[in-house]
Amino acid sequence: MVELETAVVGQPRRLPWLAATVAAKIPETPEATTVLFDVPGWPGHRPGQHVDVRLTAEDGYQAQRSYSIASPPEASQLALTVQRLGDGEVSPYLTDEVRPGDLIELRGPIGGYFTWTVADGGPLLLVAGGSGVAPLMAMVRHRAAAGGGPPATLLYSSRSWDEIIFRDELAGLVVADDGLAVVHTLTRSQPPGWTGYGRRVDAAMLGEVFGPPTAGAVAYACGPTPLVERAATDLLALGYAPDRIRTERFGPSGG
Amino acid sequence: MERSGNETDRRLDGNAAGGLLAEAFCVEMTTAVVVCAGCGAEAVVAELLRYGHEMGAILRCAGCDTAVVRIARTGDRLWLDLRGAVNLRVSAAP
């Protein structure tokens, strides 16, 4: 009977909490760390989706946060890239405290709006601010794992050169793939000899980097709320269709 | 694990409420479309502004700030207040 009811209503799913084992930690920048998890029973995900992470203290107090998945569906381990927030409840634990072998609870994948696969086509336009690059990195990695796909351009705003998450990996992907472009803007400090952008994302920058809308173009912006809203507004003004611009406000909040 | 009571630092958007909403609806909800009872604007749940708190979240209209969806958990019960939504359209595709 249970099976019959399930068949009738499609795929109801109360997302179960899964036990995830910390497999490794990768320092990315002074403030961001990638935590790799082995998650038995993980059902797979689409690039752009996130998980809820739940921590339980010894006295039963629980704290829960959402983190975007940075790994592509093709990867065997789930990667969460976490920006350490000094007054946060959860992020300092993930960046500083957890060790390989530790267990945490997570559930997912969550989200059907801010997702992209190569089957969705392109050109793919990505705007990232800080650790908001994580879900966009899942898209870039998925595109590479799939052997290319539509042209993709990532405009990535960081405070400084040292705070660019995935800097070397992105550079390597660009070298290996004519269809991928990555443009950095450094908003607070620039290294000597820097010839790239040195200001916050604005309409002129979006126009220069992405050009006018082309057929099939789809844009994803993820980062702090001001950057995301600015990018969405400016892309609309440049002529991009509202239903082809997807946004995710990613902190620096949330802890 | 520290406890911070700061609520104002958690303003995100409806994407982040997907897990909690899935508990209530058992389907993917961030792609659901809502019509705001305050201003009549139509929005995808993912585009609503999220104000998180210890018990759950309030999702507000980006245009007029109406609380479109309130969802909270107390013990083993979920509370869902949809007074701010004229309607809510969920994909019925299998």
Side-chain angles (χ1 to χ4, degrees):
Chain A
M1 285 302 285
V2 171
E3 285 177 6
L4 182 62
E5 286 173 15
T6 302
V8 168
V9 297
Q11 292 187 320
R13 46 176 205 142
R14 235 175 204 182
L15 289 171
W17 289 100
L18 302 171
T21 305
V22 175
K25 289 171 77 177
I26 304 166
E28 302 282 1
T29 69
E31 290 190 342
T33 298
T34 292
V35 186
L36 292 173
F37 293 96
D38 289 315
V39 192
W42 180 249
H45 66 279
R46 279 178 287 154
Q49 290 188 300
H50 69 269
V51 293
D52 287 344
V53 171
R54 181 169 74 178
L55 303 179
T56 305
E58 286 179 8
D59 63 1
Y61 173 81
Q62 291 187 325
Q64 192 177 311
R65 296 289 183 275
S66 297
Y67 291 101
S68 289
I69 300 166
S71 49
E74 293 82 2
S76 59
Q77 291 175 322
L78 200 71
L80 304 183
T81 299
V82 179
Q83 179 95 14
R84 187 185 194 288
L85 302 169
D87 60 351
E89 288 184 321
V90 177
S91 64
Y93 179 79
L94 291 174
T95 56
D96 302 353
E97 303 293 328
V98 296
R99 297 285 175 270
D102 286 354
L103 277 173
I104 66 148
E105 287 182 296
L106 57 77
R107 67 177 178 188
I110 297 166
Y113 166 80
F114 197 83
T115 65
W116 180 85
T117 68
V118 289
D120 294 320
L124 178 65
L125 314 178
L126 307 172
V127 184
S131 60
V133 74
L136 307 181
M137 193 63 183
M139 298 176 189
V140 169
R141 286 167 164 165
H142 160 65
R143 185 180 162 284
T153 303
L154 168 64
L155 173 58
Y156 184 5
S157 175
S158 304
R159 288 183 296 194
S160 69
W161 180 253
D162 290 336
E163 288 170 274
I164 300 175
I165 302 169
F166 311 128
R167 190 182 64 211
D168 293 344
E169 182 180 347
L170 284 168
L173 288 169
V174 167
V175 167
D177 180 358
D178 290 342
L180 176 67
V182 177
V183 178
H184 293 288
T185 182
L186 303 176
T187 58
R188 286 202 187 166
S189 66
Q190 301 83 31
W194 177 253
T195 56
Y197 291 115
R199 62 181 199 268
R200 291 176 184 276
V201 169
D202 57 28
M205 191 186 300
L206 290 162
E208 287 166 13
V209 172
F210 295 140
T214 53
V218 57
Y220 293 80
C222 184
T225 296
L227 173 137
V228 166
E229 294 185 350
R230 182 74 195 260
T233 302
D234 290 344
L235 286 170
L236 275 177
L238 287 168
Y240 287 88
D243 64 349
R244 304 293 284 175
I245 302 169
R246 309 232 156 162
T247 54
E248 181 157 32
R249 295 157 182 81
F250 192 90
S253 50
Chain B
M1 188 164 54
E2 295 173 18
R3 277 97 159 134
S4 79
N6 187 346
E7 291 188 13
T8 58
D9 68 348
R10 293 184 197 155
R11 175 177 181 266
L12 294 166
D13 60 31
N15 289 301
L20 192 56
L21 289 168
E23 283 186 45
F25 289 93
C26 296
V27 293
E28 208 302 291
M29 286 298 295
T30 63
T31 51
V33 176
V34 290
V35 174
C36 172
C39 68
E42 193 173 278
V44 178
V45 166
E47 294 171 333
L48 297 173
L49 302 181
R50 172 180 175 274
Y51 295 76
H53 53 79
E54 294 305 324
M55 313 279 285
I58 301 171
L59 302 179
R60 292 185 177 276
C61 174
C64 76
D65 218 33
T66 291
V68 179
V69 177
R70 298 170 191 265
I71 184 164
R73 174 206 295 285
T74 60
D76 60 356
R77 225 161 258 281
L78 282 169
W79 296 70
L80 194 58
D81 179 339
L82 292 169
R83 272 175 296 179
V86 175
N87 61 51
L88 183 81
R89 305 200 294 276
V90 184
S91 170

